Amino acid sequence: QVQLVESGGGLVQAGGSLRLSCAASGRTFSSYPMGWYRQRPGLEREFVASISASGGSPYYADSVKGRFTISRDNAKSTAYLQMNRLKPEDTAIYYCAVPKYSYSFKFEIWGQGTQVTVSS
């Protein structure tokens, strides 16, 4: 059973940066795509970014494109989300996720989340 543990959240001023990490264990990390999602207060969980198993094909939500960068280090079984030029509307709980199957981009296994709060 795969386990995902996010870290790196916190409180930051608008315009600042944070880097989130997602450490995976329990299966071959390098065989699966990774995704980041977030849930803003009062809203449903939404897609933020994804990356293929090899580290290529990054894909972003329009709201974060040009500010956030997804990456992964398969040797460390860890994925990252570098968040720059943060805005108050980026305040959310951020989750990393993986699919059940290596050929899928349907993210169904979740970490516990890490809180990001951006003050104005």
Side-chain angles (χ1 to χ4, degrees), residues 78-89:
T78 301
Y80 304 97
L81 185 68
Q82 177 66 44
M83 306 186 295
N84 297 329
R85 292 185 281 134
L86 283 160
K87 304 175 181 180
E89 53 263 42

Side-chain angles (χ1 to χ4, degrees), residues 3-69:
Q3 291 187 328
L4 304 172
V5 179
E6 301 95 336
S7 62
L11 174 64
V12 63
Q13 288 189 329
S17 299
L18 283 174
R19 188 176 81 155
L20 306 183
S21 299
C22 173
S25 61
R27 66 180 183 188
T28 307
F29 176 80
S30 60
S31 298
Y32 293 81
M34 293 288 296
W36 285 96
Y37 284 71
R38 67 186 182 186
Q39 187 164 17
R40 293 186 280 180
L43 301 176
E44 294 192 353
R45 192 176 298 183
E46 62 181 352
F47 171 80
V48 174
S50 65
I51 192 167
S52 70
S54 64
S57 305
Y59 187 74
Y60 300 94
D62 287 343
S63 58
V64 306
K65 200 173 294 183
R67 300 188 297 122
F68 291 11
T69 302

